[in-house]
Amino acid sequence: MDTARSTIYNLFRGEPSTYTRFSLAQHMEGDNSQVEMKLSNSEMDDEVGNSMGGHRDPRIMKPKHSPKNICFMIVCTLLIFLIGFLIGYLSYRGRMPTREQGCSNADSVSCGTTEELLSEDDSDTTLEAAQPVLEWKQLKELLKNKFLVSSFESRIRAFSANHEAGSEGDQRLALSVYNEFKNIGLDSVWNDEHYVKLQSLGSTPNKVTFLGSGIPEVIEVPKGYLAYSAAGQATGKLVYANYGREEDFKKLTSLDITVNGSVVIVRGGQISFAAKVANAQKVKAAAVLIYLDPADYNMPENTDVFGHVHLGTGDPYTPGFPSFNHTQFPPAQSSGLPSIPAQTITTNSARRLMSKMTGQPAPSEWKGTLSPPYNLGNDDNVQVKVEVNNEVAEKRILNVFGVVKGLIDPDHYVVIGAQRDSWGPGAAKSAVGTSLLVEMAKALSDLVVKDGYKPRRSIVFASWSAGDFGSVGATEWLEGYLSVLHLKAFAYINLDAAVLGSQTFKASASPMLYTLLGNTLKEVSSPLDSSKTLYQKLGADSWEKQTIVPMTMDDASYAFQAFSGIPSLSFRFTNDGVYPYFGTIEDNWSNLNARTGNRIDDIARAAANVAGQMVLRLTHDHQLSLDFDRYNGELYSSVLKINRFAKQLKKAGLTIKWLSSARGDFDRATETLKNDILNSDLNDAEMCRAINERIMRVEYHFLSPYVSPKDTPFRHIFYGSGPHTLKSLIENLNLLNGNTLDLDMDVLRNQLALATWTIQGAANALSGDIWDIDNEF
C-alpha cells in the first residue's frame, strides 16, 4: 500500500505515467491481509529487457500525454482505490465478532458498543449498523406471539411455595431463577449477596391475654406475626380505632376517647400495617392489635396473618447504607421502627375480644360484619395484655440478575424486577411476578438472538429477596449503588402482584411514565374482550382517572422512585376491593385463579404484554419515552395550593414569588429541551445520548439535596416522606388558618426556601449547560 501511495503521489507530480505492467497479488490470511503491487515504466523495462546487461540508453523519455494514456491512468487510479477499500473492509469484518460469537459468553464484553462499531478516526457517529432493523409493528407482534406459547399457569403453580426470605427454600428458588437466566442465554447473569437483619417468631411464643375481673383468659397464641415490632409486653384498656388512620384517631379524640396508654385494636385495610402502628404510636398507645374484618376480607376466620411494621424500606438496622458483609456497621436503626409492640390476631380472636368491649357505639361507617356490636371501649375493666417475643437474626439473602445488553448505550438500562420470597405460598405476592420476570427474560432475549432485534439500551432483570419485609433486597441494592444508579437506570418496572383479578386495571407511577403507559394500553388487547384494547376498556380519554392511584410506601417500586429518583411503575389487573389473601396461607394458586375467573393464564399474558411493550419502547426508540413535561402539571398544582396562603405569608413577611418563579423556570426549561430535540439529529448517537441524559435525570433532581439519605431516605419532594416534601409544607401552611401557636415560623421559612431551590435546581439541570441557564429570577 505504501508503494501505491507513492506511485499515485508521483502521478500528480508529473512523473512518467505510462505503465505496461500492473500485477496484483492478494493474500488473505486472517488479520495479515496484504497486497503486493508492481508498478514500472514500460519503456525503461523494455530497455532493460533488450540490453540483457548491455549498455543502457542514457536518454530520459519524455512523458506522452495522449488521451489514451490519460484515460488509462484514471482507470488505474480508481481501481487502486477500490481494491484498497475492499481489502480494508474485509480485513475489518474478519476482526469483528458476530453477536453469536461475541455474546455467547456471559462474561464477555458488551457487543455492538459504540467503540466497537466505529474506528478510531471515524468522525461520523451515525451508527447505521446498530439501528433497530425491525419495524415497531413487527416487533410488538413478535413479542405477542412469544407470550402466546408461554405457560404462565405452570410457572405460577411451581413458584407458589413457602419460601420465607433467607430460608433454604428462598435459596433454592434463587438458584432456580439463576439457572433459568443462564439457560435462556442472557448476556450476563450474576447475584448480589447481602447480610440483613430480619425478625421472626422467637423461642418464646407471642401471646394475647384478656385481663378481666376474673381469671386471665388467653385469647390467642398466634402463629402469624408482625416483623420489626418492638419486643416486650404492654397492658392497657382496649380501644377500637377502625382502620387506624390519622383521621380515625382524631375522631376518637373528638369523642373524648383516651388512647394514651391503651391497647388499640384496628382492622386491616386502607393503609399499611406499618402506618397503622405509627399512627397509634403518635397518640401514645401502648400496643396495637390488627385483625382482618369479614367486611373487607372474605376468608376463614382462623387464618393467621403475617406482615411488617417498619415504616420504611430496606434493612432498618442499616438505614441509608447497604448491608454488605464486609461493611463495619455503626450502631444505627431506622426512624421508622416502632417503639411499641404490635401483633396480628385472627378474625375469630378479634370477635372474642370485641364481644367484651363496652362504651360508646362506634360510628356507623366504622362497623364491619363481626357479630358483636362495635363499641369503642375505653373501659378500665376491659384490659388486654400483649406479649411480643420476636427475635432479630442476621440472614444471608441473594438478589439474582440477568441482562440483555444494548448495542448503542449499553450503560443505560431499564430494570424489571419482582419479589421472590413469601410468607406462605405467595401466589399473587411473589409467584406471579417471578413467573412474568422469567418469561419476559426468555421472550426479550429471543427477540435479540433469534429475530434480530437490536436494542439501543440494556434490559436488566432482577429477582429480589426479602420483599415481604419491606423491599429489603431491592433497597439494599439501591443503597449499594446510590452514587451511580441515577446515572445509569432510567426506569423501573415492578412486576409484583401484577395479577390479582381480572375486572379492572390499576397503576401507580411517576408522571414521567403516564404517557408511555397510556400508549401501551392502546396497543394491548383486553384479556376479557379481544375486540377492545385496555385503553378502550378503561374509558379511553379518561383512562388516567380510572387507572392511576397514589404510590405508597408499601409499593415495591417506591424505593426506586422516592429514594433513588428513578422513574418507576407498578401495575395490576385486579377486582373491586382489596386482594384479601396477602400475608396468609390463603394466597395460593387456587384462590388466585378463582379471582381471575379461572383465566389466570390469559390475565398473566396480558400483564406480560403491558410490561414487555413498555420495555421495548424504552429500548427501541432514539428518544427515551419519558414525558418530562408532565411534572409541569404536578408543580402547577402544588404551587396553586400554596398560593392560597399568599396573604397569610405576606403578613408573616414571606412571599411565594420565588417559588412561582422557580416553577416558571422549570416550565421554560422543558420548552427549551423540546426545542433542542426538534432541532437535533437523533440519528447522531452522541447528540441523542446527550438529550436522553437530560431527560433521564429529571426525576433524580426532585430529590431534595438538603436532607441526608441516611436520616431522611425518601428525599423526593413529591413522593417522599419528611419535612422537605411539598405535602409537609402545605400541611404547615394550613396551620396559618388555625392556631398559629402550633406553627414554627423558622421551620416554615426553611421549608419554603428549600422547596424553592430544589425546584430551581431541577430547572437548571434540565436546561443543559451552565452557560445556557438564565441565572436571574
Side-chain angles (χ1 to χ4, degrees):
M1 292 300 291
D2 290 338
T3 305
R5 290 192 188 98
S6 176
T7 304
I8 295 166
Y9 177 72
N10 289 334
L11 273 171
F12 293 98
R13 291 184 60 192
E15 296 296 321
S17 54
T18 304
Y19 299 88
T20 59
R21 200 162 61 233
F22 173 76
S23 63
L24 174 66
Q26 184 173 348
H27 306 279
M28 301 298 293
E29 297 179 4
D31 289 342
N32 297 319
S33 305
Q34 55 186 341
V35 178
E36 178 184 348
M37 286 175 281
K38 297 181 181 178
L39 302 168
S40 59
N41 180 280
S42 59
E43 294 177 3
M44 291 191 70
D45 274 351
D46 289 342
E47 190 171 349
V48 171
N50 293 334
S51 64
M52 293 296 291
H55 176 70
R56 173 179 285 186
D57 190 340
R59 290 177 299 169
I60 297 175
M61 302 298 296
K62 293 182 180 181
K64 299 177 181 179
H65 297 287
S66 67
K68 181 179 178 181
N69 289 341
I70 292 174
C71 183
F72 187 73
M73 177 190 71
I74 293 171
V75 171
C76 289
T77 302
L78 292 175
L79 185 61
I80 292 169
F81 274 116
L82 179 60
I83 293 171
F85 173 81
L86 290 174
I87 292 170
Y89 174 77
L90 292 172
S91 175
Y92 171 76
R93 282 291 301 271
R95 294 194 303 271
M96 284 296 292
T98 63
R99 176 163 183 90
E100 290 77 8
Q101 292 169 336
C103 290
S104 60
N105 182 357
D107 296 326
S108 65
V109 297
S110 305
C111 295
T113 61
T114 303
E115 290 78 5
E116 292 169 327
L117 294 170
L118 289 178
S119 61
E120 290 182 0
D121 56 353
D122 188 357
S123 60
D124 184 6
T125 56
T126 304
L127 305 179
E128 293 297 335
Q131 300 301 311
V133 295
L134 295 172
E135 296 293 335
W136 172 250
K137 186 176 181 180
Q138 293 176 287
L139 202 54
K140 69 177 185 179
E141 284 302 315
L142 283 169
L143 183 68
K144 180 181 176 181
N145 291 336
K146 290 183 186 301
F147 288 141
L148 284 175
V149 298
S150 299
S151 178
F152 296 98
E153 179 179 328
S154 61
R155 284 204 183 273
I156 294 171
R157 283 179 180 271
F159 289 148
S160 296
N162 193 330
H163 33 264
E164 192 168 338
S167 67
E168 289 185 5
D170 182 32
Q171 303 291 332
R172 285 195 298 270
L173 187 53
L175 180 61
S176 175
V177 173
Y178 182 91
N179 288 333
E180 287 274 8
F181 285 172
K182 278 285 190 182
N183 293 336
I184 288 168
L186 298 181
D187 291 331
S188 185
V189 180
W190 73 101
N191 65 66
D192 264 4
E193 182 180 70
H194 298 272
Y195 288 82
V196 298
K197 291 182 178 178
L198 305 178
Q199 195 185 67
S200 57
L201 290 172
S203 54
T204 303
N206 297 348
K207 190 183 299 184
V208 178
T209 307
F210 174 71
L211 304 176
S213 56
I215 299 174
E217 177 186 352
V218 176
I219 299 296
E220 186 178 353
V221 179
K223 296 178 183 177
Y225 68 99
L226 291 171
Y228 302 125
S229 163
Q233 302 179 6
T235 302
K237 57 189 177 182
L238 197 60
V239 172
Y240 174 59
N242 196 24
Y243 290 110
R245 299 167 298 186
E246 288 186 356
E247 57 265 35
D248 294 330
F249 286 110
K250 288 178 181 178
K251 182 69 174 179
L252 288 174
T253 300
S254 71
L255 295 172
D256 294 326
I257 303 297
T258 304
V259 177
N260 189 355
S262 66
V263 173
V264 175
I265 182 169
V266 299
R267 52 177 172 164
Q270 300 292 321
I271 59 174
S272 68
F273 289 173
K276 296 175 190 292
V277 175
N279 291 337
Q281 183 174 303
K282 287 178 185 176
V283 293
K284 300 181 179 179
V288 181
L289 296 174
I290 302 176
Y291 78 99
L292 305 183
D293 197 289
D296 304 305
Y297 299 86
N298 182 20
M299 66 175 66
E301 293 191 354
N302 61 347
T303 302
D304 293 298
V305 182
F306 163 86
H308 79 87
V309 290
H310 173 215
L311 193 64
T313 66
D315 183 347
Y317 297 98
T318 59
F321 49 95
S323 297
F324 290 123
N325 196 36
H326 58 268
T327 307
Q328 300 299 305
F329 302 126
Q333 69 177 43
S334 167
S335 59
L337 281 177
S339 58
I340 60 176
Q343 176 64 52
T344 54
I345 57 175
T346 65
T347 304
N348 196 39
S349 294
R351 174 181 285 106
R352 291 173 60 190
L353 283 175
M354 294 180 73
S355 68
K356 302 176 185 296
M357 295 177 68
T358 59
Q360 300 179 43
S364 58
E365 64 272 18
W366 285 25
K367 295 179 180 180
T369 56
L370 287 175
S371 54
Y374 284 74
N375 295 323
L376 297 178
N378 200 33
D379 186 345
D380 289 333
N381 293 321
V382 182
Q383 298 271 324
V384 171
K385 181 181 180 181
V386 179
E387 300 175 61
V388 174
N389 300 297
N390 298 345
E391 296 177 351
V392 174
E394 185 175 84
K395 294 188 178 181
R396 174 177 175 265
I397 63 169
L398 295 173
N399 294 326
V400 181
F401 301 91
V403 64
V404 171
K405 293 180 180 177
L407 299 183
I408 295 180
D409 292 320
D411 58 332
H412 288 172
Y413 37 83
V414 54
V415 183
I416 315 168
Q419 170 184 327
R420 188 180 65 248
D421 66 294
S422 69
W423 190 92
K429 190 68 179 289
S430 64
V432 163
T434 303
S435 301
L436 289 170
L437 183 72
V438 173
E439 288 296 332
M440 286 181 65
K442 184 176 186 299
L444 291 167
S445 179
D446 279 356
L447 276 179
V448 174
V449 175
K450 297 179 180 179
D451 300 305
Y453 174 48
K454 295 183 172 72
R456 300 179 65 85
R457 305 167 195 96
S458 298
I459 308 167
V460 174
F461 305 92
S463 173
W464 312 114
S465 184
D468 258 0
F469 290 81
S471 300
V472 172
T475 303
E476 296 309 306
W477 183 69
L478 292 172
E479 290 175 342
Y481 303 96
L482 178 63
S483 60
V484 298
L485 276 179
H486 69 281
L487 304 174
K488 307 283 187 178
F490 55 81
Y492 178 68
I493 298 174
N494 172 46
L495 300 176
D496 290 351
V499 177
L500 302 178
S502 61
Q503 296 172 2
T504 188
F505 181 90
K506 298 293 181 182
S508 54
S510 161
M512 295 183 71
L513 291 170
Y514 287 178
T515 300
L516 173 62
L517 177 60
N519 290 337
T520 301
L521 295 177
K522 292 176 182 178
E523 298 189 346
V524 177
S525 298
S526 167
L528 303 182
D529 183 359
S530 59
S531 67
K532 293 184 178 180
T533 64
L534 286 170
Y535 181 79
Q536 292 169 324
K537 291 285 286 185
L538 293 169
D541 291 343
S542 63
W543 78 270
E544 281 188 30
K545 184 178 180 180
Q546 302 296 325
T547 303
I548 302 298
V549 295
M551 183 181 292
T552 57
M553 197 176 291
D554 56 346
D555 190 313
S557 60
Y558 182 81
F560 284 83
Q561 180 80 19
F563 177 76
S564 292
I566 298 169
S568 305
L569 176 141
S570 296
F571 68 92
R572 56 192 176 275
F573 288 87
T574 186
N575 298 339
D576 294 333
V578 298
Y579 180 78
Y581 307 120
F582 283 141
T584 73
I585 60 172
E586 299 299 318
D587 185 15
N588 54 45
W589 184 89
S590 178
N591 282 332
L592 178 60
N593 194 40
R595 289 265 302 181
T596 64
N598 299 318
R599 300 186 64 177
I600 195 169
D601 218 38
D602 294 334
I603 308 301
R605 185 168 293 109
N609 274 299
V610 170
Q613 288 202 28
M614 285 192 289
V615 169
L616 286 183
R617 272 296 182 200
L618 289 166
T619 58
H620 173 275
D621 296 351
H622 286 71
Q623 181 186 331
L624 275 174
S625 299
L626 299 176
D627 191 351
F628 53 89
D629 193 40
R630 291 302 292 258
Y631 264 115
N632 274 315
E634 302 294 319
L635 281 170
Y636 180 80
S637 176
S638 295
V639 172
L640 188 63
K641 292 176 183 177
I642 295 170
N643 191 51
R644 294 170 184 166
F645 301 94
K647 291 182 179 179
Q648 295 96 317
L649 286 170
K650 187 176 182 180
K651 290 179 182 178
L654 296 173
T655 177
I656 67 163
K657 174 183 177 182
W658 312 122
L659 181 65
S660 298
S661 181
R663 187 206 68 80
D665 280 352
F666 185 85
D667 187 28
R668 285 184 286 276
T670 59
E671 290 302 315
T672 298
L673 181 52
K674 288 179 189 177
N675 290 330
D676 288 348
I677 293 170
L678 288 174
N679 296 321
S680 298
D681 177 11
L682 295 182
N683 288 310
D684 183 312
E686 185 176 348
M687 185 178 294
C688 184
R689 181 182 175 92
I691 291 289
N692 285 331
E693 286 181 342
R694 287 165 67 184
I695 295 172
M696 66 187 282
R697 293 170 192 172
V698 169
E699 196 82 62
Y700 177 79
H701 289 294
F702 283 119
L703 301 185
S704 174
Y706 306 107
V707 293
S708 163
K710 177 181 180 296
D711 301 324
T712 311
F714 305 121
R715 297 179 291 147
H716 204 293
I717 63 172
F718 289 101
Y719 293 94
S721 174
H724 62 284
T725 62
L726 294 176
K727 177 184 176 183
S728 178
L729 170 60
I730 293 169
E731 287 173 351
N732 256 352
L733 287 171
N734 278 317
L735 296 176
L736 291 171
N737 292 329
N739 186 0
T740 55
L741 294 176
D742 296 330
L743 177 62
D744 187 327
M745 288 304 298
D746 286 340
V747 170
L748 184 60
R749 288 175 183 272
N750 194 57
Q751 285 181 308
L752 196 57
L754 298 188
T756 299
W757 280 106
T758 300
I759 296 168
Q760 186 65 50
N764 292 345
L766 189 60
S767 296
D769 294 310
I770 56 173
W771 49 83
D772 294 327
I773 299 172
D774 180 3
N775 64 356
E776 295 183 6
F777 278 106

